[in-house]
Amino acid sequence: RRVHGHKLIAYYASQSRLTKKMLKRTMIIWSSGEETSRVLAFLCINRVIRINQASLLEGCIKHMYMSYVKNCKFTSPSSLPLINFMQRSLVEILSIDFKLAYQYAFVYIRQLAIHLRNAMTMKKKESCHAVYNWQYIHCIGLWSRMLSLSYPNDTMEPLIYPLVQTIIGTVKLIPTQKYYPLRFHCVRALTMISGATNTFIPVLPFLLEVFEQTDFNKKHKAVNFKPLNLNCILKFSKSQINEKAFKDAVIDMLYELLLEHFHSHAHTIGFPELVLPAQLQMKEFLKKCKVSNFTRQIKQIVDKVGEQSVFITARRRTSTINLTDTKAVAAWERQCEEVTSPLKKFYTTWRKLRDRELMHQIAQRDQIHTDTKLPTIERPKPRDKTPALPKATDAEKKEFSALFDSDEEEDVDMTESFLPPEEKKALREERKKKEKEEYKQKKKEAKK
């Protein structure tokens, strides 16, 4: 049925009523269906929009964006690939018409900036939760990917500066150890924009600040053999900060993000001057830190960055370009990017090993069996049902709740906050009407 539906797109496109019904159904499947169904649903949406672009594109962008925001409320290892798929497919739809994409990007990036401004001025727990949540972070990731993939584009380019300022403000809002994972998500978005658009963004201070704030020599109070997956969390709990896994995860993420950032600027003519402050700070960390597992990784980065600096300096000595000639500098940097430099060679081998490691982790979750004629995916089954336990008393509930932090954030749905002001008013008016109707019905029932 799914395949036949995709083949009948030309027929559906000729019937306006059928097209709208089909789009509604495919949007639901795209946002909440199975993996294979989601891909086929997106193919149908993409094909229909390209046939009737003028009448369907604007409504589809709005509906798909709101579906994306709703699905981003919670993130786990199983839901993250689906969120990434929605993000990439939405970027592809937005890339059909950059003028229309600019209008929506401007409105929604402005909404992110307004939430951040309210959090910075009011300084209340609720306003901070409006920024430090998964929906906000995934929206930053969406627009970062959109601006990165659309570059060079004169229409979308003016949005780079406001988005970068919004991301930097998000990092600076609560710069504590607790929110290191959120900081790393923002740094990854900034590195993506910086590398794709050839824009200098001061990313290194946010990573090097972690070396100053964290005492890696301090002995941990607890041991947890299960490693922390920072891709699926936004903050550390108090107990996690005291564990050994906290420092291991932070060092691993610093290693990855520093390497990615240095690689994105490895071909630039000012690379030796760019990395000099970072080199000095990392060398200072190597002197202070006495844990060999942590220093080994950072020393590797220092060595490779040093080799790349020597490589760039040697090429600069042999060149005769004028630094005021931007075209000549850009051509020189393109030549450096094509040549296999020490850092580029190291990064490509590391990236292959890292991707293989990630694939191995996915393979452990989904074991493929080929004993039968067709391969089948066997996912971990839920545990067998156990007899129902007696319910806890009020005293036991109070005792149990005292074990956890009281400052845990509430699960607030921020979907409505990402709507433009006009749509917010319309939603509120609808709610008021419903409330009045319910109140009248209750009165009638009470009279009867």
Side-chain angles (χ1 to χ4, degrees):
R1 286 181 182 179
R2 297 165 187 166
V3 179
H4 290 321
H6 183 253
K7 288 180 178 179
L8 290 169
I9 292 298
Y11 170 73
Y12 283 120
S14 63
Q15 308 287 332
S16 59
R17 288 184 181 178
L18 283 175
T19 305
K20 288 178 182 178
K21 287 180 180 179
M22 190 269 291
L23 271 176
K24 282 182 182 179
R25 185 60 192 160
T26 49
M27 293 258 187
I28 292 166
I29 296 167
W30 174 77
S31 60
S32 60
E34 296 175 356
E35 293 173 20
T36 51
S37 303
R38 282 174 183 245
V39 175
L40 285 167
F42 169 69
L43 292 172
C44 294
I45 293 165
N46 190 25
R47 196 172 171 192
V48 168
I49 289 171
R50 290 182 186 278
I51 294 170
N52 293 331
Q53 185 177 328
S55 59
L56 299 174
L57 181 59
E58 190 171 356
C60 283
I61 288 173
K62 192 185 294 184
H63 194 282
M64 288 176 80
Y65 182 78
M66 296 315 300
S67 300
Y68 172 75
V69 172
K70 285 176 184 176
N71 275 268
C72 292
K73 190 179 177 184
F74 302 105
T75 303
S76 63
S78 58
S79 65
L80 187 60
L82 299 175
I83 292 168
N84 288 334
F85 164 73
M86 291 181 76
Q87 186 183 107
R88 290 172 185 274
S89 54
L90 182 52
V91 167
E92 192 170 336
I93 296 296
L94 286 163
S95 301
I96 293 171
D97 187 352
F98 286 115
K99 288 183 180 179
L100 188 63
Y102 174 84
Q103 294 173 11
Y104 278 94
F106 179 85
V107 170
Y108 292 128
I109 291 171
R110 184 173 173 272
Q111 285 289 327
L112 297 175
I114 289 167
H115 287 308
L116 179 62
R117 185 192 63 189
N118 293 338
M120 293 174 78
T121 53
M122 295 170 70
K123 294 180 180 179
K124 290 182 179 179
K125 192 176 179 181
E126 293 175 359
S127 57
C128 288
H129 285 171
V131 175
Y132 277 31
N133 62 73
W134 274 118
Q135 290 173 321
Y136 193 95
I137 296 302
H138 281 304
C139 286
I140 282 174
L142 171 71
W143 298 119
S144 300
R145 189 175 293 279
M146 178 64 200
L147 296 180
S148 300
L149 294 176
S150 63
Y151 187 86
N153 186 279
D154 295 333
T155 307
M156 301 298 291
E157 200 170 339
L159 294 173
I160 293 171
Y161 179 76
L163 180 62
V164 168
Q165 290 299 312
T166 304
I167 299 170
I168 290 172
T170 304
V171 175
K172 290 181 176 179
L173 184 61
I174 309 176
T176 57
Q177 289 184 349
K178 184 179 180 179
Y179 290 102
Y180 276 170
L182 185 138
R183 177 190 294 240
F184 295 147
H185 286 296
C186 292
V187 166
R188 198 183 292 278
L190 290 172
T191 303
M192 186 198 298
I193 297 169
S194 179
T197 62
N198 296 321
T199 306
F200 173 72
I201 302 171
V203 175
L204 287 174
F206 301 124
L207 295 173
L208 299 173
E209 191 181 8
V210 177
F211 290 118
E212 296 176 358
Q213 290 183 346
T214 311
D215 185 5
F216 288 96
N217 290 323
K218 189 178 178 181
K219 290 184 178 180
H220 48 270
K221 296 178 181 178
V223 178
N224 187 2
F225 294 103
K226 189 178 180 182
L228 294 170
N229 187 1
L230 300 191
N231 293 321
C232 299
I233 59 173
L234 288 181
K235 66 174 185 176
F236 291 117
S237 63
K238 288 179 181 178
S239 60
Q240 285 175 334
I241 291 172
N242 295 322
E243 291 176 1
K244 183 182 179 294
F246 162 74
K247 292 175 185 176
D248 292 336
V250 168
I251 283 289
D252 289 340
M253 190 57 70
L254 283 171
Y255 178 83
E256 184 176 341
L257 293 174
L258 283 168
L259 196 58
E260 284 180 354
H261 183 72
F262 287 138
H263 175 258
S264 64
H265 294 283
H267 63 282
T268 56
I269 198 166
F271 182 79
E273 290 76 21
L274 174 69
V275 301
L276 181 60
Q279 278 182 301
L280 295 173
Q281 198 163 345
M282 284 190 288
K283 284 177 181 178
E284 191 179 347
F285 167 77
L286 292 174
K287 289 178 183 177
K288 290 180 180 178
C289 186
K290 296 176 183 178
V291 183
S292 60
N293 289 335
F294 301 154
T295 54
R296 194 188 304 114
Q297 289 178 294
I298 303 303
K299 190 178 184 303
Q300 198 175 37
I301 291 178
V302 172
D303 292 341
K304 294 301 173 185
V305 168
E307 288 175 18
Q308 185 69 16
S309 298
V310 172
F311 174 79
I312 295 291
T313 307
R315 286 185 69 88
R316 287 196 307 194
R317 284 173 186 168
T318 56
S319 64
T320 56
I321 60 170
N322 187 3
L323 294 177
T324 56
D325 188 358
T326 54
K327 290 182 179 179
V329 171
W332 187 89
E333 288 180 348
R334 279 196 296 272
Q335 287 177 0
C336 284
E337 196 171 4
E338 290 171 2
V339 177
T340 54
S341 59
L343 187 60
K344 185 181 179 181
K345 188 178 179 181
F346 176 75
Y347 178 80
T348 49
T349 53
W350 172 82
R351 189 74 259 175
K352 284 179 184 177
L353 291 169
R354 179 62 180 158
D355 291 340
R356 195 180 298 169
E357 186 184 347
L358 292 170
M359 290 299 291
H360 181 66
Q361 289 175 5
I362 294 166
Q364 283 182 338
R365 284 204 299 270
D366 295 349
Q367 295 177 356
I368 300 177
H369 293 274
T370 55
D371 297 334
T372 55
K373 292 179 181 178
L374 292 172
T376 58
I377 295 176
E378 186 181 322
R379 288 191 168 84
K381 295 178 180 179
R383 294 177 182 177
D384 297 331
K385 290 183 180 180
T386 54
L389 295 171
K391 291 185 178 180
T393 60
D394 294 335
E396 287 173 342
K397 284 179 182 177
K398 286 180 182 178
E399 229 178 327
F400 185 72
S401 62
L403 294 172
F404 296 91
D405 297 334
S406 58
D407 62 340
E408 290 293 323
E409 61 187 40
E410 297 173 1
D411 296 332
V412 184
D413 191 356
M414 300 299 298
T415 308
E416 187 182 333
S417 61
F418 289 90
L419 288 168
E422 295 176 359
E423 294 186 16
K424 278 186 186 177
K425 286 181 182 178
L427 275 174
R428 286 170 188 168
E429 286 175 3
E430 284 181 12
R431 283 180 185 172
K432 285 179 182 179
K433 285 180 182 178
K434 285 181 181 178
E435 286 174 2
K436 284 180 181 179
E437 288 174 3
E438 287 175 2
Y439 182 72
K440 286 178 182 178
Q441 285 179 356
K442 286 179 181 179
K443 269 192 171 182
K444 286 178 181 179
E445 288 174 2
K447 285 178 181 179
K448 287 179 181 179

